[in-house]
Amino acid sequence: MEIYVDGSFVSKDDARVSVFDHGFLYGDGVFEGIRAYEGRIFRLKEHIDRLYQSAGALMLEIPVSPAEMAEVVREACARNGLHDAYIRLIVSRGPGDLGLDPRKCTEPTVVCIADRIALFPPETYEKGIRVGAVSTRRTPTESLNARIKSLNYLNSILAKIESNLAGHAEALMMTQEGYVAEGPGENIFIVRGGRLLTPPSHLGILEGITRAAIMDLARGRGIPLAEAVFTRHDVWTADEAFFCGTACEIMPITACDGRQIGDGRPGPVTRQLTADFRALVAREGVPIAAPAHADNQE
Ligand code: PXG
């Protein structure tokens, strides 16, 4: 495996960053999780844009242009011979001293890893998952804006620990006020009376790229869609529910807090959007660069 670290591709064993890196010391940095399907990188521009916006909010200046970063992602897939991939871009504050002050860090660290991911066993996409609300609330926007995809994921990890201990397949997280927000690494949709509902971004959720793609697909199909504030009760009594994200794609939710949703199986809207999403990722996307040595073949 070849990993990009600060300007060059090195083998996995040689891919190292400093223990003084503030990404390691404080979670000071940003990242993106991106997928490639059948040789095409899905919504690469949107992911690159979000990375630079997250970095901008942290006043973290990425030492590589967005166009160069897009090339790094393509090359990481090509060098590792990946047709289907999960790509992780990480930009951290870089090495500094043992104080918090980011001004002491002069060289941000840039890493790109192209690998694979399987968040849930394949059969769960057919059966759906049982989720449960956790007591760990989403961090209020005033404290840490969820739109910044930062390296500081402890809020999600605490939710995940709670959910693991309770035996749920995934956690459902609420806002401080008790409204449904999202999963630790997924956005949520429910279907009620033929309408597709998802929490609005002002609730302090990550504006997921998969979420946006699903909203486009729903509009294309004429499925009534709204960004709406709703509660756990609305999830319990929904006809259908699903999580979505780059890592999990579309994951049907068949029970929440022990309450069966609909008939306890992935519903028709979820299945339709899953089929549409699979078709979309297969036809859209930026092609992965040809391997560097392809020209030399005789
Ligand atoms: N909400 C949160 C809090 C996230 O972290 C999403 C929604 C979905 O966004 P996209 O743009 O991917 O559709 C995320 C994505 C994991 C994992 O292993 C998930 C994410 C990041 C890293 C790992 O589940 N986040």
Side-chain angles (χ1 to χ4, degrees):
M1 181 189 284
E2 288 188 52
I3 295 171
Y4 175 93
V5 186
D6 293 335
S8 43
F9 281 90
V10 295
S11 72
K12 189 177 169 183
D13 291 341
D14 294 327
R16 295 205 174 91
V17 297
S18 165
V19 293
F20 287 96
D21 194 304
H22 281 208
F24 178 65
L25 288 174
Y26 305 118
D28 184 357
V30 295
F31 77 104
E32 276 300 319
I34 311 170
R35 249 187 206 261
Y37 295 93
E38 299 178 30
R40 293 175 173 275
I41 305 166
F42 186 63
R43 306 236 156 148
L44 178 58
K45 183 180 183 307
E46 286 82 347
H47 282 285
I48 300 274
D49 285 350
R50 190 170 64 183
L51 182 77
Y52 283 75
Q53 285 162 13
S54 295
L58 300 185
M59 299 192 71
L60 169 55
E61 205 173 316
I62 302 180
V64 174
S65 74
E68 285 165 340
M69 195 67 100
E71 280 312 304
V72 167
V73 172
R74 295 173 72 199
E75 197 178 338
C77 293
R79 279 182 181 255
N80 291 291
L82 292 166
H83 209 53
D84 292 285
Y86 180 79
I87 304 128
R88 180 62 58 90
L89 270 181
I90 305 124
V91 182
S92 71
R93 190 73 67 179
D97 64 14
L98 290 177
L100 283 173
D101 194 343
R103 291 176 301 186
K104 306 264 180 69
C105 308
T106 54
E107 280 179 58
T109 303
V110 182
V111 171
C112 180
I113 307 168
D115 199 356
R116 293 174 200 278
I117 197 170
L119 215 55
F120 295 101
E123 62 275 14
T124 53
Y125 287 86
E126 303 298 324
K127 290 197 301 207
I129 56 168
R130 301 172 68 87
V131 308
V134 292
S135 66
T136 304
R137 299 287 168 105
R138 225 51 191 124
T139 310
T141 305
E142 299 74 22
S143 305
L144 180 58
N145 192 335
R147 290 169 71 187
I148 303 170
K149 200 162 165 60
S150 83
L151 293 180
N152 192 321
Y153 253 59
L154 270 186
N155 180 232
S156 288
I157 290 165
L158 286 169
K160 191 85 201 168
I161 290 170
E162 244 192 283
S163 156
N164 290 346
L165 289 172
H168 305 305
E170 187 56 293
L172 181 61
M173 299 183 75
M174 310 295 144
T175 64
Q176 293 293 307
E177 298 75 24
Y179 298 120
V180 171
E182 58 186 333
E186 305 90 359
N187 291 116
I188 187 169
F189 283 85
I190 61 171
V191 180
R192 288 178 67 86
R195 285 212 314 159
L196 192 60
L197 304 176
T198 193
S201 59
H202 70 74
L203 281 194
I205 57 163
L206 184 79
E207 287 179 307
I209 288 165
T210 317
R211 173 182 179 271
I214 289 166
M215 290 167 80
D216 289 346
L217 291 171
R219 284 188 201 102
R221 284 245 164 233
I223 300 169
L225 164 77
E227 290 183 76
V229 174
F230 56 85
T231 65
R232 272 201 298 168
H233 181 82
D234 298 303
V235 181
W236 297 344
T237 56
D239 303 314
E240 303 180 32
F242 60 87
F243 270 142
C244 71
T246 301
C248 82
E249 304 170 292
I250 295 177
M251 175 54 70
I253 299 172
T254 47
C256 178
D257 304 321
R259 278 79 161 176
Q260 178 178 300
I261 296 172
D263 65 1
R265 283 182 304 205
V269 177
T270 307
R271 283 189 278 117
Q272 180 68 65
L273 289 170
T274 301
D276 289 352
F277 183 73
R278 294 208 173 124
L280 179 72
V281 298
R283 72 170 178 267
E284 231 193 49
V286 179
I288 290 169
H293 53 270
D295 298 342
N296 304 334
Q297 283 173 7
E298 289 176 0

